[in-house]
């Protein structure tokens, strides 16, 4: 289910972005089906919340599906959390331990990407050596420099 749905997103998302967002079947896969499936895998569903996003009003360049530990954060705006991040060109997907960018963008207007990089490095220092299955400290979402997805790249802590 998970692999098939991710492959479907990779194959169909670019075309879906040319169609109306409201009620789109692929949007429902990302915002409902995949989060519900992931929630079903979690042993403590009252502590964890899965959520997917394809954008609000318009299609996001890089859709995502996150799992939030509600003792740390309940949204993608703050804290840190594991997230599936799809590349803008749909050539791949990362499973990333990433951090909320919205709060950083609001509180550090001068250079939020630099703040995200520093915080990601600090998280990595706290973790120690990166797990063998999550060797990437840098990710490339192939996103433009001004869209929201471009902030996920410096926010990456570790990924595969």
């Amino acid at each position: 289910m998970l692999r098939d749905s991710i492959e479907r997103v990779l194959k169909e998302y670019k075309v879906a972005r040319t169609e109306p967002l409201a009620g789109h079947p692929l949007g429902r896969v990302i915002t409902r089906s995949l989060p519900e499936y992931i929630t079903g895998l979690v042993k403590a569903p009252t502590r964890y919340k899965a959520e997917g996003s394809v954008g609000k009003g318009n299609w996001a360049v890089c859709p995502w599906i996150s799992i939030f530990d509600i003792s740390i954060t309940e949204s993608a705006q703050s804290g840190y959390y594991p997230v599936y991040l799809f590349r803008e060109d749909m050539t791949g997907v990362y499973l990333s331990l990433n951090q909320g960018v919205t709060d950083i963008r609001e509180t550090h207007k001068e250079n939020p990407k630099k703040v995200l990089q520093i915080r990601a490095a600090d998280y990595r220092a706290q973790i120690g050596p990166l797990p063998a299955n999550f060797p990437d400290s840098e990710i490339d979402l192939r996103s433009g420099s001004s869209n929201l997805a471009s902030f996920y790249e410096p926010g990456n802590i570790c990924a595969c």
Side-chain angles (χ1 to χ4, degrees):
M1 160 65 182
L2 185 60
R3 178 183 291 273
D4 292 342
S5 295
I6 287 173
E7 287 176 359
R8 179 178 175 193
V9 172
L10 292 170
K11 289 177 187 169
E12 298 177 19
Y13 195 80
K14 284 171 42 172
V15 171
R17 284 188 64 203
T18 66
E19 301 168 352
L21 174 60
H24 197 284
L26 190 62
R28 284 194 302 274
V29 167
I30 296 166
T31 61
R32 290 191 192 142
S33 301
L34 278 167
E36 287 172 4
Y37 177 77
I38 291 168
T39 299
L41 298 174
V42 174
K43 294 185 193 256
T46 58
R47 180 172 172 183
Y48 298 96
K49 174 176 93 170
E51 183 178 307
S53 178
V54 293
K56 293 185 173 144
N58 295 309
W59 289 96
V61 245
C62 296
W64 53 262
I65 301 141
S66 296
I67 305 160
F68 304 118
D69 178 337
I70 61 171
S71 69
I72 297 168
T73 186
E74 291 193 45
S75 78
Q77 296 180 345
S78 62
Y80 57 91
Y81 47 87
V83 57
Y84 285 100
L85 291 168
F86 292 84
R87 284 183 161 167
E88 181 175 347
D89 63 4
M90 294 295 131
T91 59
V93 60
Y94 288 98
L95 177 55
S96 168
L97 178 59
N98 216 295
Q99 47 186 317
V101 301
T102 303
D103 285 357
I104 297 298
R105 288 175 64 192
E106 290 174 0
T107 58
H108 297 86
K109 298 198 186 290
E110 186 69 29
N111 195 345
K113 289 181 182 179
K114 185 66 176 170
V115 172
L116 288 164
Q117 285 176 324
I118 291 167
R119 288 180 53 163
D122 183 55
Y123 283 126
R124 282 191 292 277
Q126 292 178 55
I127 293 170
L130 292 179
N133 294 340
F134 291 85
D136 299 327
S137 60
E138 294 183 18
I139 60 175
D140 179 6
L141 297 174
R142 305 199 176 146
S143 62
S145 62
S146 62
N147 66 48
L148 183 60
S150 72
F151 288 85
Y152 302 146
E153 293 166 336
N156 179 63
I157 300 163
C158 61
C160 66

